[in-house]
Amino acid sequence: MVLKIYNTMTRKKEVFKTLKPKEVKIYTCGQTVYDELHVGNAKTYGIWDIIVRYLRFKDYDVFHVQNFTDVGHLTDDGDEGEDKIEKRARLKRIEPMELVDQQIREYWLDIDELNIARPNISPRATQHIIEMQELIKKLLSKGYAYEVSGNVYFNTSKFKDYGKLARLSLKDLKAGARVEIDPNKNHPRDFALWLKAPSKHIMKWSSPWSIGYPGWHLECSVMAMKYLGDTIDVHGGGIDHIPVHHTNEIAQSEAVTGKTYSKYWLHNAFITINGEKMSKSKGNFITARDAINKWGAMVVRLALASGHYRSQIDYNNGLLTTAKNNLERVRNTIEHINNASPGRNNELLKIVKAARKAFIEAMDDDFNTPKALAVIYAFIKKVNKSINKASNKSLNASKDLIIKLMGVLGVDLTRKEEAVELTDDLIKLLIRMRDEARKRKDYKISDRIRLSLKKLGVIIEDSPKGSRYKIINP
Ligand code: AMP
Ligand code: ZN
């Protein structure tokens, strides 16, 4: 069975051929860490996790890098607006790096709970300022970049294939030109590699061109090539990244190396809410934490996998209720197996084999998760029917298969959802332990206590006089 992947670059499903046999180098664009994770972000990171898990299931040696953007992402994906992190830090009256650290801690709590496996490396943009400057120097020396008043821009006219991923036509590029306002650019579609910081700007570094900060697109090229090589197997991101971010990553990387930057480009479609893209800027988002609290992490995970990654899905009660019911059906089957008194019939073993094959066929078809889930649901129906006569061996094989395949889709059936009964005394004790952890600056523990309590409906409010709590789900 061969794996086929839809490559945005060619707009075709292609047979997956890695650069080195059985090795996959994958880079996916990560979170700009200034706000909470929402379910749209979780869908995107969830699908990269499924893809990595599936490739490992198929015995590929996968190395996954996903960055944290902690500088340089302006409120506009082009070169306009303020730095998102600096803006939010100013509002909160904290250091931008304090905000980043806080958000990264919260991020991991959500990601871990959603059973999204952590990448091999999660590098941060600010750890790679030197490498970014090196790349800019190379682009300047090759004539692909130019400097104007302390800013450095990529010269898109010099890069022959500019816009090939998005299939931008000259007409699109001219249309974009009308809204462009930066007078320093030779051509409106040119993009910033380095920007001179206004005097009040907080996050800035010295460079040969100015005291300033890097353009957002640069970090992904630098980190992908540093950790994975000049040419990588797979590059993933949300579909919003096709026309600007990934287009610019390709231009600056390929201009420097003269090689193909990524063999396969994968793009995940949006989660919508009432038909509109869920986004931080629109304010129509549901945080992953709220969704987890309401439905449970594994229900959310299953709901996110229930649509194909290239199809838009709408976040609504129906989607989550269906996932909840399906998860219950799967869990019930496992429980029935655990309680069954085995017979002698081995018929199920054949069905186990067929189900495994059908699952692989579905996932080999561009990671068709809804089809793969349909295979699992059909399989559990058959198991339910045979449970009373099936042999011990076939029941165990069935159970193992269900747990394994759901696990590939990110749903961990072995995880126990704990039921905790909270008393006032217990809450107070936990709050005191959290205060002590905060005093020692052990934010990992303090955050875990705060978020665990939040999950149970207890919200801690910090004030100069100390911590108080309120119960939202009595
Ligand atoms: P951002 O929140 O803009 O930093 O996006 C982080 C990642 O989540 C990017 O890869 C986006 O493409 C993705 N993303 C943002 N909004 C959505 C959404 N509504 N549905 C799916 N993915 C999203
Ligand atoms: Zn990126």
Side-chain angles (χ1 to χ4, degrees), residues 31-32 38 40-41 44-45 238 240-241 269-271 277-278 280:
Q31 188 82 347
T32 304
H38 63 61
N41 306 137
T44 292
Y45 305 132
D240 48 332
H241 291 340
F270 290 141
I271 278 213
K277 180 197 170 191
M278 182 182 291
K280 286 169 198 161

Side-chain angles (χ1 to χ4, degrees), residues 167-237:
R167 307 212 165 160
L168 297 175
S169 67
L170 210 59
K171 202 167 116 242
D172 299 327
L173 295 168
K174 279 188 184 144
R178 284 197 292 274
V179 293
E180 192 57 67
I181 51 171
D182 185 345
N184 287 326
K185 293 182 180 176
N186 283 353
H187 191 287
R189 73 186 181 198
D190 291 355
F191 58 91
L193 299 165
W194 189 263
L195 286 165
K196 183 177 172 183
S199 60
K200 281 197 186 136
H201 205 85
I202 311 170
M203 289 187 286
K204 52 193 172 190
W205 292 262
S206 57
S207 78
W209 317 289
S210 62
I211 296 182
Y213 57 93
W216 168 44
H217 319 299
L218 201 54
E219 62 174 272
C220 288
S221 292
V222 160
M223 294 189 259
M225 293 195 287
K226 173 167 175 164
Y227 297 110
L228 302 173
D230 289 351
T231 302
I232 64 178
D233 292 293
V234 180
H235 195 312

Side-chain angles (χ1 to χ4, degrees), residues 40-196:
N41 306 137
K43 175 182 185 264
T44 292
Y45 305 132
I47 185 61
W48 308 140
D49 178 48
I50 291 173
I51 288 173
V52 168
R53 283 176 191 272
Y54 184 61
L55 290 171
R56 287 185 178 141
F57 170 83
K58 285 188 75 101
D59 294 327
Y60 284 96
D61 184 4
V62 183
F63 199 87
H64 180 204
V65 177
Q66 184 177 80
N67 64 307
F68 280 123
T69 298
D70 59 353
V71 70
H73 192 175
L74 306 184
T75 42
D76 181 86
D77 274 359
D79 299 326
E80 303 300 321
E82 274 185 87
D83 186 295
K84 291 181 183 184
I85 291 165
E86 187 160 323
K87 185 178 175 193
R88 179 61 57 89
R90 194 174 288 129
L91 273 173
K92 290 188 143 191
R93 293 171 189 270
I94 56 174
E95 275 288 320
M97 282 305 114
E98 188 182 358
L99 172 71
V100 164
D101 273 1
Q102 278 176 6
Q103 290 307 324
I104 291 180
R105 283 196 297 273
E106 304 244 345
Y107 177 85
W108 287 132
L109 288 171
D110 293 345
I111 290 289
D112 290 348
E113 197 159 338
L114 285 167
N115 195 35
I116 294 175
R118 295 190 186 199
N120 296 77
I121 314 182
S122 308
R124 283 162 66 159
T126 54
Q127 296 165 334
H128 299 80
I129 301 288
I130 291 172
E131 289 91 334
M132 288 196 243
Q133 293 189 358
E134 290 304 313
L135 198 99
I136 297 173
K137 284 180 202 160
K138 282 186 197 153
L139 288 169
L140 279 165
S141 74
K142 288 189 165 211
Y144 281 107
Y146 55 93
E147 184 196 342
V148 185
S149 317
N151 295 345
V152 185
Y153 298 100
F154 184 89
N155 183 355
T156 53
S157 311
K158 180 101 198 277
F159 186 70
K160 194 169 96 300
D161 289 332
Y162 185 77
K164 63 182 170 184
L165 179 74
R167 307 212 165 160
L168 297 175
S169 67
L170 210 59
K171 202 167 116 242
D172 299 327
L173 295 168
K174 279 188 184 144
R178 284 197 292 274
V179 293
E180 192 57 67
I181 51 171
D182 185 345
N184 287 326
K185 293 182 180 176
N186 283 353
H187 191 287
R189 73 186 181 198
D190 291 355
F191 58 91
L193 299 165
W194 189 263
L195 286 165
K196 183 177 172 183

Side-chain angles (χ1 to χ4, degrees), residues 427-443:
I427 296 173
K428 281 179 195 150
L429 173 69
L430 286 167
I431 289 179
R432 209 164 58 234
M433 287 171 66
R434 173 176 173 266
D435 287 344
E436 282 164 14
R438 267 159 51 100
K439 268 193 210 127
R440 317 191 284 278
K441 296 201 173 353
D442 187 348
Y443 297 114

